[in-house]
Amino acid sequence: MIDSVETLNKRVEALRRESLAATRILVSMGTCGIAAGAAPVLAELRRLLAERGLENTVEIVETGCIGQCYAEPSVEILNPESNSGITYGKVKVSEVSMIIDHLADVVPGLETVNKTWYYPEDEANADNRLQARIVLRNSGRIDPEKLEDYLKNRGYQALAKVLTGMSPAEVVKEITESGLRGRGGGGFPTGMKWSFAAAQPAGRKYIVCNADEGDPGAFMDRAVLEGDPHSVLEAMIIGGYAIGADTGIVYIRAEYPLAVKRLKIAIRQAEENGLLGKNIFGSGFNFKIELKYGAGAFVCGEETALIHSIEGKRGEPTFKPPFPAVSGLWGCPTVVNNVETYANVPAVIRRGAAWFRTIGTEKSPGTKVFALAGKVENVGLVEVPMGTALRDIIFNLGGGIRDGKQFKAVQTGGPSGGCLKADRLDTRIDYDTLTALGSMMGSGGMIVMDEDDCMVNIAKFFLEFTLDESCGKCTPCRIGNTRLHEMLDRICTGRATGDTINKLRNLAYAVKDTSLCGLGQTSPNPVLSTLANFEEEYEAHIRDKKCPAGVCTKLITYLINDNCVGCTLCARNCPVSCISGERKQKHVIDQDRCIKCGVCYQACKFHAIDRI
Amino acid sequence: MSCGDCPDGRKFDLIKEFPEKTKQLNDFIDALDIGPDRNRNRGFLIESLHEAQHIFGYLPRSVQQFVADKLHLYLSEVYGVISFYSYFTDRPVGKYKISVCTGTACFVRGANAVLEEFKRLLVLENGETTPDRKFSLASLRCVGACSLAPVVMVNDQVYGKVTAKMVADIINECK
């Protein structure tokens, strides 16, 4: 039971003394690690350590996501005394015994992964590393299912500081001064949100954590919940104290079973240790946290829709004002913040607003986690100070474009964001620079595209998503997006006429200006930004009936040229058997039966298939 | 609205057919803090439906009515919620639930070709189930394993870096 700062400190000291293991082996057991095969590696590690009698000197830690998804399964050998280590990537079960043989040095021949980050709370950035980890400070370093690991890493120190030495108004002031902005999309100042709710008359209030990460291609919230759930709980308790709420609700996606499991464990541990419940740290402050499950609706990321969903209704947004901070869940003042926002709060409280402002840009202090995916070498999570150049993220941390292809565009902000092309690579990104360029920060998805991606098709893809997810309440979003999608479909299938681009642009602005909530107001962004940057590609589709990237199947034809030596490889690979020809004779594609899958194009070793 | 019809047209009531499952759901809802305030009870609706779908596999009308009665809600309110959220289904799903991730990362790495191949081989449209209830095909948005894109999930098993060529093998593994 931790009922005072003294017991907390004693507990931490005792824990530090207890950790005797000479070596710690960290295995990344987040969803991506497990999907890549971390479980058999872990089992082999355990088996071999037991076999060699090393269980007591070597401690295995199952951590959450370390962010380097491209290198999963990853195994880190850490020397707790020097806090330095070696990380192996893409570890195979057969390599585990070599790793155990060489606990102190690097196994020759195995792939190692360099750390590209530092921890601003612990250390200065001596060697100019690009990443600064505040949100992901514990992900991949601690066992998320052990409260003790969190406590050893300054866990609940911020809560202790707040409950024993700060008034609620001081907490709100600290967060306001830090300049922390909502990491879920809009970038609304967190401190201001809290101050609105705090200013409401005392009574029932709620702190809600939006963990319904719906942006396809963004998974930082999942990484935090799987890797460091206690930090979110700690921040919610601090928020509750600041605004005068006694109940917190985490609204989480049902599609994240591992995050749900770890969050449940964390809540139980916090309750058992008196960190949740009555009279926390002897301060007289009571707080409880409940879980509510989402059920697959992107629009529930909008705070009024999310609140309706918690109330058991269809997740349809309502007009603001009244803002949730005034009238939210069950009509009570409610603060809704996203997971990543909360994960910043304990660090801000511990080190102070002035420290937080030293990182990032003046108007967007701190860091942002990006989910870097698509056509880059190093897919994963990166956490960089606001104001980092796109080029550094994509080419330095991301390792550049896969297969030596040409960079074409980067899409930020998910279905609400836009595409930026190569001439914007030196943009130092924060909330305001991205908005100025017609994109947005969004939740931090960053999808890199190369020469093989058709921008019209990408715009259509995002519109398809919006169509699926539009709740249908307001007309511009329900019908406007449907018409936009139809126009894009006509363009992609070669049925568009000359003035389609103008119609598309006008309607896109109309949807943007007149929709009820953030979903509709931003849904035309992918169309508008691809139009602004790649209008010539739209024109090629409309005027020439050609898809320059060779993606839109209705606009491409596969033909076999005279390079064909009759090896029959294409015919054997064709899934619909529409290629015919004698062995050692030129083959022919039956255009009526061809499904334009491109398998033959990829299979041919003689450049004998043209895609036109 | 589907009523839990069998493929052969026979109608049955899941609630009467499976008393044990019904008891399980009944006990779950009874353990919630249900009161006389209908509005408050709505707050328990989504978790009750999650549990019901977990128990029965899908939410036909009989199950919807059962949940509505337990929470003192109207059937229309329950159906309104089920039809809004993509996680809930009022149709039975197959033994093997094949989900092709069509999140952005998978999309740019060729998820569409994979989905098309599944459609072609299973002779299914997206969101349908084979008549023998063996396979269901659906697209989902991002499982968060973007480094393995394109990703396909068969029940809980994750397949990474899937190409159209691998689709037949994945289907065969299920049989």
Coordinates of all heavy atoms in Angstrom, one line a residue, chain A residues 35 69-70 216-217 219 222 253-254 292-297 299 309-315 330 373-376 379 402 447 453 457-458 461-462 465 468 471 573 575-576, chain B residues 39-47 50 77 79-81 83-88 102-105 107-109 113 117 120 141-148 158 161 164-165:
Chain A
A35 N 3.4 -10.4 -33.6 CA 3.0 -10.7 -34.9 C 4.2 -11.2 -35.7 O 4.1 -12.0 -36.6 CB 2.3 -9.6 -35.6
C69 N 9.6 -1.3 -35.4 CA 8.8 -2.4 -35.8 C 9.5 -3.2 -37.0 O 9.3 -4.4 -37.1 CB 7.4 -1.9 -36.3 SG 6.6 -0.9 -35.1
Y70 N 10.2 -2.5 -37.8 CA 10.9 -3.2 -38.9 C 11.9 -4.2 -38.5 O 12.2 -5.1 -39.2 CB 11.6 -2.1 -39.8 CG 12.7 -1.4 -39.1 CD1 14.0 -1.9 -39.3 CD2 12.5 -0.3 -38.3 CE1 15.1 -1.3 -38.7 CE2 13.6 0.3 -37.7 CZ 14.8 -0.2 -37.8 OH 15.9 0.4 -37.2
P216 N -6.2 4.9 -39.8 CA -5.6 3.7 -40.3 C -4.1 4.0 -40.6 O -3.8 4.8 -41.4 CB -6.4 3.4 -41.6 CG -6.9 4.7 -42.0 CD -7.1 5.5 -40.8
G217 N -3.2 3.3 -39.9 CA -1.8 3.6 -40.2 C -1.2 4.4 -39.0 O 0.0 4.7 -39.1
F219 N -0.4 4.0 -34.8 CA -0.5 3.1 -33.7 C 0.3 3.5 -32.5 O 0.7 2.6 -31.7 CB -0.1 1.6 -34.2 CG 1.1 1.6 -35.0 CD1 2.3 1.2 -34.4 CD2 1.1 1.9 -36.4 CE1 3.5 1.2 -35.2 CE2 2.3 1.8 -37.1 CZ 3.5 1.5 -36.5
R222 N -1.6 2.8 -29.2 CA -1.5 1.4 -28.8 C -0.2 1.1 -28.2 O -0.1 0.4 -27.2 CB -1.7 0.5 -30.0 CG -2.1 -0.9 -29.7 CD -1.7 -1.8 -30.8 NE -0.3 -1.8 -31.1 CZ 0.3 -2.1 -32.2 NH1 -0.5 -2.4 -33.2 NH2 1.6 -2.1 -32.3
R253 N -10.5 1.1 -28.0 CA -10.9 0.2 -29.1 C -10.9 -1.2 -28.6 O -10.0 -1.7 -28.0 CB -9.8 0.3 -30.2 CG -9.8 1.4 -31.0 CD -8.8 1.3 -32.1 NE -9.4 0.5 -33.2 CZ -8.7 0.2 -34.3 NH1 -7.5 0.6 -34.5 NH2 -9.3 -0.5 -35.3
A254 N -12.0 -1.9 -29.0 CA -12.1 -3.3 -28.7 C -11.1 -4.1 -29.5 O -10.8 -5.3 -29.2 CB -13.5 -3.8 -28.9
K292 N -14.3 1.8 -20.9 CA -15.4 1.6 -21.8 C -14.9 1.3 -23.2 O -13.9 1.8 -23.6 CB -16.2 2.9 -21.9 CG -17.0 3.2 -20.7 CD -18.3 2.5 -20.7 CE -19.1 2.8 -19.4 NZ -20.3 1.9 -19.3
Y293 N -15.6 0.4 -23.9 CA -15.1 -0.1 -25.1 C -15.8 0.6 -26.4 O -17.0 0.7 -26.4 CB -15.3 -1.6 -25.3 CG -14.7 -2.3 -24.1 CD1 -15.4 -2.9 -23.1 CD2 -13.3 -2.5 -24.1 CE1 -14.8 -3.5 -22.0 CE2 -12.6 -3.1 -23.0 CZ -13.4 -3.6 -22.0 OH -12.8 -4.2 -21.0
G294 N -14.9 0.9 -27.3 CA -15.4 1.4 -28.6 C -15.9 0.1 -29.4 O -15.7 -1.0 -29.0
A295 N -16.5 0.4 -30.5 CA -17.0 -0.8 -31.3 C -16.7 -0.5 -32.8 O -17.5 -1.0 -33.6 CB -18.4 -1.1 -31.0
G296 N -15.7 0.2 -33.1 CA -15.3 0.4 -34.5 C -16.1 1.5 -35.1 O -17.0 1.3 -35.9
A297 N -15.8 2.7 -34.8 CA -16.4 3.9 -35.4 C -15.3 5.0 -35.3 O -15.1 5.5 -34.3 CB -17.7 4.3 -34.8
V299 N -15.5 8.0 -36.3 CA -16.1 9.3 -35.9 C -16.0 9.5 -34.3 O -16.1 10.6 -33.8 CB -17.5 9.5 -36.4 CG1 -18.5 8.6 -35.8 CG2 -17.9 11.0 -36.3
S309 N -21.0 7.8 -27.4 CA -20.8 6.4 -27.4 C -20.6 5.8 -26.0 O -21.2 4.7 -25.7 CB -19.5 6.1 -28.2 OG -19.3 4.7 -28.3
I310 N -20.0 6.5 -25.1 CA -19.9 6.1 -23.7 C -21.3 6.0 -23.1 O -21.6 5.1 -22.3 CB -19.0 7.0 -22.9 CG1 -17.6 7.0 -23.4 CG2 -19.0 6.7 -21.4 CD1 -16.6 8.0 -22.7
E311 N -22.2 6.9 -23.5 CA -23.5 6.9 -23.0 C -24.4 5.8 -23.6 O -25.6 5.7 -23.4 CB -24.2 8.3 -23.3 CG -23.6 9.4 -22.4 CD -24.1 10.8 -22.8 OE1 -24.7 10.9 -23.9 OE2 -23.9 11.7 -22.0
G312 N -23.8 5.0 -24.5 CA -24.5 3.9 -25.1 C -25.3 4.2 -26.3 O -26.2 3.5 -26.7
K313 N -25.0 5.3 -26.9 CA -25.8 5.8 -28.1 C -24.9 5.6 -29.4 O -23.8 5.3 -29.3 CB -26.2 7.2 -27.9 CG -27.1 7.5 -26.7 CD -27.4 9.0 -26.6 CE -28.1 9.2 -25.3 NZ -27.9 10.6 -24.8
R314 N -25.6 5.9 -30.5 CA -24.9 5.9 -31.7 C -23.8 7.1 -31.6 O -24.2 8.1 -31.1 CB -25.8 6.2 -32.9 CG -26.8 5.1 -33.2 CD -27.9 5.5 -34.0 NE -27.5 5.7 -35.4 CZ -27.6 4.8 -36.4 NH1 -27.9 3.6 -36.1 NH2 -27.2 5.1 -37.6
G315 N -22.6 6.9 -32.1 CA -21.6 7.9 -31.9 C -21.7 9.0 -32.9 O -20.9 9.2 -33.8
W330 N -23.0 12.7 -19.6 CA -24.2 12.8 -18.8 C -24.5 14.2 -18.4 O -25.0 14.5 -17.3 CB -24.1 11.9 -17.5 CG -23.6 10.5 -17.7 CD1 -22.5 10.0 -17.3 CD2 -24.3 9.5 -18.4 NE1 -22.4 8.7 -17.6 CE2 -23.5 8.3 -18.3 CE3 -25.6 9.4 -19.0 CZ2 -23.9 7.1 -18.9 CZ3 -26.0 8.2 -19.6 CH2 -25.1 7.1 -19.5
A373 N 5.2 4.7 -41.9 CA 4.9 3.5 -42.6 C 4.8 3.7 -44.1 O 5.0 4.8 -44.6 CB 3.5 2.9 -42.1
G374 N 4.4 2.7 -44.8 CA 4.4 2.8 -46.3 C 5.6 2.3 -46.9 O 6.2 1.3 -46.5
K375 N 6.2 3.1 -47.9 CA 7.3 2.7 -48.7 C 8.7 3.0 -48.1 O 9.6 3.3 -48.8 CB 7.2 3.2 -50.1 CG 5.8 2.9 -50.8 CD 5.8 1.4 -51.2 CE 4.5 1.1 -51.9 NZ 4.2 1.8 -53.2
V376 N 8.8 3.2 -46.8 CA 10.1 3.4 -46.2 C 10.7 2.1 -45.7 O 10.0 1.1 -45.4 CB 10.1 4.4 -45.0 CG1 9.9 5.8 -45.4 CG2 9.0 4.0 -44.0
V379 N 10.0 0.9 -41.0 CA 8.7 1.2 -40.5 C 8.7 1.1 -39.0 O 9.3 0.2 -38.4 CB 7.7 0.1 -41.1 CG1 6.3 0.3 -40.4 CG2 7.5 0.3 -42.6
R402 N 12.1 2.3 -49.9 CA 12.4 0.9 -50.2 C 12.7 0.6 -51.6 O 12.3 1.3 -52.5 CB 11.2 0.0 -49.8 CG 10.9 -0.2 -48.4 CD 9.5 -0.5 -48.1 NE 9.0 -1.6 -48.9 CZ 9.0 -2.9 -48.3 NH1 9.3 -3.0 -47.1 NH2 8.6 -3.9 -49.0
I447 N 2.5 8.3 -43.9 CA 2.6 7.3 -44.9 C 3.4 7.8 -46.0 O 3.1 8.8 -46.6 CB 1.2 6.8 -45.4 CG1 0.3 6.6 -44.2 CG2 1.3 5.7 -46.3 CD1 0.5 5.3 -43.5
D453 N 2.8 4.8 -56.6 CA 1.5 5.1 -56.0 C 0.8 6.2 -56.9 O 1.4 7.2 -57.2 CB 1.7 5.6 -54.6 CG 2.1 4.5 -53.7 OD1 1.4 3.5 -53.7 OD2 3.1 4.6 -53.0
N457 N -5.7 7.7 -56.9 CA -6.2 6.5 -56.2 C -6.1 6.6 -54.7 O -6.9 6.1 -54.0 CB -5.4 5.3 -56.7 CG -6.0 4.0 -56.4 OD1 -7.2 3.9 -56.4 ND2 -5.2 3.0 -56.0
I458 N -5.0 7.3 -54.3 CA -4.8 7.5 -52.8 C -6.0 8.4 -52.3 O -6.6 8.1 -51.2 CB -3.5 8.2 -52.5 CG1 -2.3 7.3 -52.9 CG2 -3.4 8.7 -51.1 CD1 -2.1 6.2 -51.9
F461 N -8.9 6.4 -52.0 CA -8.8 5.5 -50.9 C -9.3 6.2 -49.6 O -10.1 5.6 -48.8 CB -7.4 5.0 -50.7 CG -7.1 4.4 -49.4 CD1 -7.5 3.1 -49.1 CD2 -6.5 5.1 -48.4 CE1 -7.3 2.5 -47.9 CE2 -6.2 4.5 -47.2 CZ -6.6 3.2 -46.9
F462 N -8.8 7.4 -49.4 CA -9.2 8.1 -48.1 C -10.7 8.4 -48.2 O -11.3 8.4 -47.1 CB -8.3 9.3 -48.0 CG -7.0 9.0 -47.4 CD1 -5.8 9.2 -48.1 CD2 -6.8 8.4 -46.1 CE1 -4.6 8.9 -47.6 CE2 -5.6 8.1 -45.6 CZ -4.4 8.3 -46.3
F465 N -12.7 5.6 -47.1 CA -12.6 5.4 -45.7 C -13.7 6.4 -45.0 O -14.4 6.0 -44.2 CB -11.2 5.7 -45.2 CG -11.1 5.7 -43.7 CD1 -10.9 4.4 -43.1 CD2 -11.1 6.8 -42.9 CE1 -10.8 4.4 -41.7 CE2 -11.0 6.7 -41.5 CZ -10.8 5.5 -40.9
D468 N -17.2 5.3 -45.5 CA -17.5 4.2 -44.5 C -17.8 4.7 -43.2 O -18.7 4.2 -42.5 CB -16.3 3.3 -44.4 CG -16.4 2.1 -45.2 OD1 -17.4 1.9 -46.0 OD2 -15.5 1.2 -45.1
C471 N -20.9 9.4 -40.2 CA -22.1 8.8 -39.4 C -23.4 9.1 -40.1 O -24.4 8.6 -39.7 CB -22.1 9.4 -38.0 SG -22.6 11.2 -37.9
N573 N 2.2 -18.4 -63.9 CA 1.8 -17.5 -62.7 C 0.5 -16.9 -62.8 O -0.1 -16.4 -61.8 CB 2.9 -16.5 -62.5 CG 4.1 -17.0 -61.6 OD1 3.9 -17.3 -60.4 ND2 5.2 -17.3 -62.3
P575 N -3.0 -15.9 -62.5 CA -4.1 -16.6 -61.7 C -5.3 -16.9 -62.5 O -6.1 -17.7 -62.0 CB -4.4 -15.5 -60.6 CG -3.9 -14.2 -61.2 CD -2.8 -14.5 -62.1
V576 N -5.5 -16.3 -63.6 CA -6.8 -16.6 -64.4 C -6.5 -17.3 -65.7 O -7.3 -17.5 -66.5 CB -7.6 -15.3 -64.7 CG1 -8.2 -14.8 -63.4 CG2 -6.7 -14.2 -65.3
Chain B
N39 N -31.8 5.9 -19.1 CA -30.7 6.6 -19.7 C -29.4 6.2 -19.2 O -28.4 6.0 -20.0 CB -30.8 8.1 -19.4 CG -31.2 8.9 -20.7 OD1 -30.9 8.4 -21.8 ND2 -31.8 10.1 -20.5
R40 N -29.3 6.0 -17.9 CA -28.1 5.4 -17.3 C -27.8 4.0 -17.8 O -26.7 3.7 -18.1 CB -28.2 5.4 -15.7 CG -28.1 6.8 -15.1 CD -26.7 6.9 -14.6 NE -26.3 8.3 -14.6 CZ -25.1 8.8 -14.3 NH1 -24.1 7.9 -14.2 NH2 -24.9 10.1 -14.2
N41 N -28.8 3.2 -17.9 CA -28.7 1.8 -18.3 C -28.0 1.8 -19.7 O -27.3 0.8 -20.0 CB -30.0 1.1 -18.3 CG -30.5 0.9 -16.9 OD1 -29.8 1.1 -16.0 ND2 -31.7 0.4 -16.8
R42 N -28.3 2.8 -20.5 CA -27.8 2.8 -21.9 C -26.3 2.7 -21.8 O -25.6 2.2 -22.7 CB -28.2 4.0 -22.6 CG -29.6 4.0 -23.1 CD -29.8 5.0 -24.2 NE -29.3 4.6 -25.4 CZ -29.7 4.9 -26.6 NH1 -30.8 5.7 -26.7 NH2 -29.1 4.5 -27.7
G43 N -25.7 3.3 -20.8 CA -24.2 3.3 -20.7 C -23.7 1.9 -20.6 O -22.5 1.7 -20.9
F44 N -24.5 0.9 -20.3 CA -24.0 -0.5 -20.2 C -24.3 -1.3 -21.5 O -23.9 -2.4 -21.6 CB -24.7 -1.2 -19.0 CG -24.3 -0.6 -17.7 CD1 -25.3 0.0 -17.0 CD2 -23.1 -0.8 -17.2 CE1 -25.0 0.6 -15.7 CE2 -22.7 -0.2 -16.0 CZ -23.7 0.5 -15.2
L45 N -25.0 -0.6 -22.4 CA -25.4 -1.3 -23.6 C -24.3 -1.9 -24.4 O -24.2 -3.0 -24.8 CB -26.3 -0.4 -24.5 CG -26.8 -0.9 -25.8 CD1 -27.5 -2.2 -25.7 CD2 -27.6 0.1 -26.6
I46 N -23.3 -1.0 -24.7 CA -22.2 -1.4 -25.6 C -21.4 -2.6 -25.0 O -21.1 -3.6 -25.7 CB -21.3 -0.2 -26.1 CG1 -22.2 0.7 -27.0 CG2 -20.1 -0.7 -26.8 CD1 -21.5 1.9 -27.5
E47 N -21.1 -2.5 -23.7 CA -20.4 -3.6 -23.1 C -21.2 -4.9 -23.1 O -20.7 -6.0 -23.2 CB -19.8 -3.3 -21.8 CG -20.7 -2.8 -20.7 CD -20.0 -2.2 -19.5 OE1 -19.4 -3.0 -18.7 OE2 -20.0 -1.0 -19.4
H50 N -21.0 -6.3 -26.5 CA -19.7 -7.0 -26.7 C -19.7 -8.4 -26.1 O -19.2 -9.3 -26.8 CB -18.6 -6.2 -26.0 CG -18.0 -5.1 -26.9 ND1 -17.2 -5.4 -28.0 CD2 -17.9 -3.7 -26.8 CE1 -16.8 -4.3 -28.6 NE2 -17.2 -3.2 -27.8
E77 N -33.5 0.9 -30.1 CA -32.3 1.6 -29.5 C -31.1 0.6 -29.7 O -30.0 1.0 -30.0 CB -32.5 2.0 -28.1 CG -33.5 3.1 -27.9 CD -33.9 3.3 -26.5 OE1 -34.1 2.4 -25.7 OE2 -34.0 4.5 -26.1
Y79 N -30.9 -2.0 -31.8 CA -30.5 -2.2 -33.2 C -29.8 -0.9 -33.7 O -28.9 -1.1 -34.6 CB -31.8 -2.5 -34.0 CG -31.5 -2.7 -35.5 CD1 -30.7 -3.8 -35.8 CD2 -31.9 -1.8 -36.4 CE1 -30.4 -4.0 -37.2 CE2 -31.6 -2.0 -37.8 CZ -30.8 -3.1 -38.1 OH -30.5 -3.3 -39.4
G80 N -30.2 0.2 -33.3 CA -29.6 1.5 -33.7 C -28.1 1.5 -33.4 O -27.3 1.9 -34.3
V81 N -27.7 0.9 -32.3 CA -26.3 0.9 -31.9 C -25.6 -0.2 -32.7 O -24.5 0.0 -33.2 CB -26.2 0.6 -30.4 CG1 -24.8 0.2 -30.0 CG2 -26.6 1.9 -29.6
S83 N -26.3 -1.3 -35.6 CA -26.1 -1.0 -37.0 C -25.1 0.2 -37.2 O -24.5 0.4 -38.3 CB -27.4 -0.6 -37.7 OG -28.0 0.5 -37.0
F84 N -24.8 0.9 -36.2 CA -23.9 2.0 -36.3 C -22.4 1.6 -36.2 O -21.6 2.1 -36.9 CB -24.2 3.0 -35.1 CG -23.3 4.3 -35.2 CD1 -23.7 5.4 -36.0 CD2 -22.1 4.4 -34.6 CE1 -23.0 6.5 -36.1 CE2 -21.3 5.6 -34.7 CZ -21.8 6.6 -35.5
Y85 N -22.1 0.6 -35.3 CA -20.8 0.3 -35.0 C -20.3 -0.9 -35.9 O -21.0 -2.0 -35.9 CB -20.5 0.0 -33.6 CG -20.8 1.2 -32.7 CD1 -22.0 1.4 -32.1 CD2 -19.7 2.1 -32.5 CE1 -22.2 2.6 -31.3 CE2 -19.9 3.3 -31.7 CZ -21.2 3.5 -31.1 OH -21.4 4.6 -30.4
S86 N -19.2 -0.8 -36.6 CA -18.8 -1.9 -37.5 C -18.4 -3.2 -36.8 O -18.4 -4.2 -37.4 CB -17.7 -1.4 -38.4 OG -16.6 -1.0 -37.6
Y87 N -18.1 -3.1 -35.5 CA -17.6 -4.3 -34.8 C -18.8 -5.3 -34.6 O -18.6 -6.5 -34.5 CB -17.1 -3.8 -33.4 CG -16.3 -4.9 -32.7 CD1 -15.0 -5.1 -32.9 CD2 -16.9 -5.7 -31.7 CE1 -14.2 -6.0 -32.3 CE2 -16.2 -6.7 -31.1 CZ -14.8 -6.8 -31.3 OH -14.1 -7.7 -30.7
F88 N -20.0 -4.7 -34.5 CA -21.2 -5.6 -34.2 C -21.7 -6.1 -35.5 O -21.8 -5.4 -36.5 CB -22.3 -4.9 -33.5 CG -21.8 -4.4 -32.1 CD1 -22.0 -3.1 -31.7 CD2 -21.2 -5.3 -31.2 CE1 -21.6 -2.7 -30.4 CE2 -20.8 -4.9 -30.0 CZ -21.0 -3.6 -29.6
T102 N -7.0 -3.1 -44.6 CA -6.9 -2.1 -45.7 C -6.6 -0.7 -45.1 O -7.1 0.3 -45.6 CB -8.2 -2.1 -46.5 OG1 -9.3 -1.9 -45.6 CG2 -8.4 -3.3 -47.3
G103 N -5.8 -0.7 -44.0 CA -5.3 0.6 -43.5 C -4.4 1.2 -44.6 O -4.0 0.5 -45.5
T104 N -4.0 2.4 -44.4 CA -3.2 3.1 -45.4 C -1.9 2.4 -45.7 O -1.5 2.3 -46.9 CB -3.0 4.5 -44.9 OG1 -4.1 5.0 -44.3 CG2 -2.6 5.4 -46.1
A105 N -1.2 2.0 -44.7 CA 0.1 1.3 -44.9 C -0.1 0.1 -45.7 O 0.7 -0.2 -46.6 CB 0.8 1.0 -43.6
F107 N -2.6 -0.6 -47.7 CA -3.1 -0.2 -49.0 C -2.0 0.1 -50.0 O -2.0 -0.3 -51.1 CB -4.1 1.0 -48.8 CG -4.6 1.5 -50.1 CD1 -5.6 0.8 -50.8 CD2 -4.1 2.7 -50.7 CE1 -6.1 1.3 -52.0 CE2 -4.6 3.2 -51.9 CZ -5.6 2.5 -52.5
V108 N -1.0 1.0 -49.5 CA 0.0 1.4 -50.4 C 1.0 0.2 -50.7 O 1.7 0.3 -51.6 CB 0.8 2.6 -50.0 CG1 -0.1 3.8 -49.8 CG2 1.6 2.4 -48.7
R109 N 0.9 -0.8 -49.9 CA 1.8 -2.0 -50.2 C 1.0 -3.1 -50.8 O 1.4 -4.3 -50.8 CB 2.5 -2.5 -48.9 CG 3.6 -1.5 -48.5 CD 4.6 -2.3 -47.6 NE 5.6 -1.4 -47.0 CZ 6.4 -1.7 -46.1 NH1 6.3 -2.9 -45.6 NH2 7.3 -0.9 -45.6
A113 N -4.9 -6.0 -54.0 CA -4.7 -7.2 -54.8 C -4.9 -8.4 -54.0 O -5.5 -9.4 -54.5 CB -3.2 -7.2 -55.3
E117 N -7.9 -11.2 -54.5 CA -7.6 -12.6 -54.7 C -8.5 -13.5 -53.8 O -9.0 -14.5 -54.2 CB -6.1 -12.8 -54.5 CG -5.7 -14.3 -54.8 CD -5.7 -14.6 -56.3 OE1 -6.1 -13.8 -57.1 OE2 -5.3 -15.8 -56.6
R120 N -11.9 -13.6 -55.2 CA -12.0 -14.4 -56.4 C -12.0 -15.9 -56.0 O -12.8 -16.7 -56.5 CB -10.7 -14.2 -57.3 CG -10.9 -14.6 -58.7 CD -9.6 -14.2 -59.5 NE -8.4 -14.9 -59.1 CZ -8.1 -16.1 -59.5 NH1 -8.9 -16.8 -60.3 NH2 -7.0 -16.7 -59.0
R141 N -9.6 -2.0 -40.7 CA -8.7 -0.8 -40.8 C -7.6 -0.8 -39.7 O -7.8 -0.5 -38.6 CB -9.5 0.5 -40.6 CG -10.7 0.6 -41.5 CD -10.2 1.0 -42.9 NE -11.4 1.3 -43.7 CZ -11.3 1.6 -45.0 NH1 -10.2 1.6 -45.6 NH2 -12.4 1.8 -45.7
C142 N -6.5 -1.3 -40.2 CA -5.2 -1.2 -39.3 C -5.3 -2.0 -38.1 O -6.0 -1.7 -37.1 CB -4.9 0.3 -38.9 SG -3.2 0.5 -38.6
V143 N -4.5 -3.1 -38.1 CA -4.2 -3.8 -36.8 C -3.0 -3.3 -36.2 O -2.6 -3.7 -35.1 CB -4.1 -5.3 -37.1 CG1 -5.4 -5.9 -37.5 CG2 -3.1 -5.6 -38.1
G144 N -2.3 -2.3 -36.8 CA -1.2 -1.7 -36.2 C 0.1 -2.5 -36.3 O 1.1 -2.3 -35.6
A145 N 0.1 -3.4 -37.3 CA 1.3 -4.2 -37.5 C 1.9 -3.7 -38.9 O 2.2 -4.5 -39.8 CB 1.1 -5.7 -37.5
C146 N 2.0 -2.4 -39.0 CA 2.3 -1.8 -40.3 C 3.6 -2.2 -40.9 O 3.8 -2.1 -42.1 CB 2.2 -0.3 -40.3 SG 0.7 0.3 -39.6
S147 N 4.5 -2.7 -40.1 CA 5.8 -3.1 -40.6 C 5.7 -4.4 -41.4 O 6.5 -4.8 -42.2 CB 6.8 -3.3 -39.5 OG 6.4 -4.3 -38.6
L148 N 4.6 -5.1 -41.1 CA 4.3 -6.4 -41.8 C 3.4 -6.3 -43.0 O 2.9 -7.2 -43.6 CB 3.8 -7.4 -40.8 CG 4.6 -7.8 -39.6 CD1 3.9 -8.7 -38.7 CD2 5.9 -8.5 -40.1
V158 N -2.0 -13.9 -37.3 CA -1.6 -12.8 -38.2 C -0.6 -13.3 -39.3 O 0.3 -13.9 -39.0 CB -0.8 -11.7 -37.4 CG1 -0.4 -10.5 -38.3 CG2 -1.7 -11.1 -36.3
K161 N 3.2 -9.5 -44.7 CA 3.8 -9.4 -46.0 C 3.1 -10.3 -47.0 O 3.8 -11.1 -47.7 CB 5.3 -9.6 -45.9 CG 6.0 -8.6 -45.1 CD 7.5 -8.7 -45.0 CE 8.0 -7.6 -44.1 NZ 9.4 -7.8 -43.8
A164 N -0.6 -11.7 -53.3 CA -1.8 -12.4 -53.9 C -1.5 -13.9 -54.1 O -2.3 -14.7 -53.9 CB -2.1 -11.7 -55.2
K165 N -0.2 -14.1 -54.3 CA 0.2 -15.5 -54.5 C 0.0 -16.4 -53.3 O -0.2 -17.6 -53.4 CB 1.7 -15.5 -54.9 CG 2.0 -16.0 -56.3 CD 3.5 -15.9 -56.5 CE 3.9 -16.9 -57.5 NZ 5.4 -16.8 -57.8

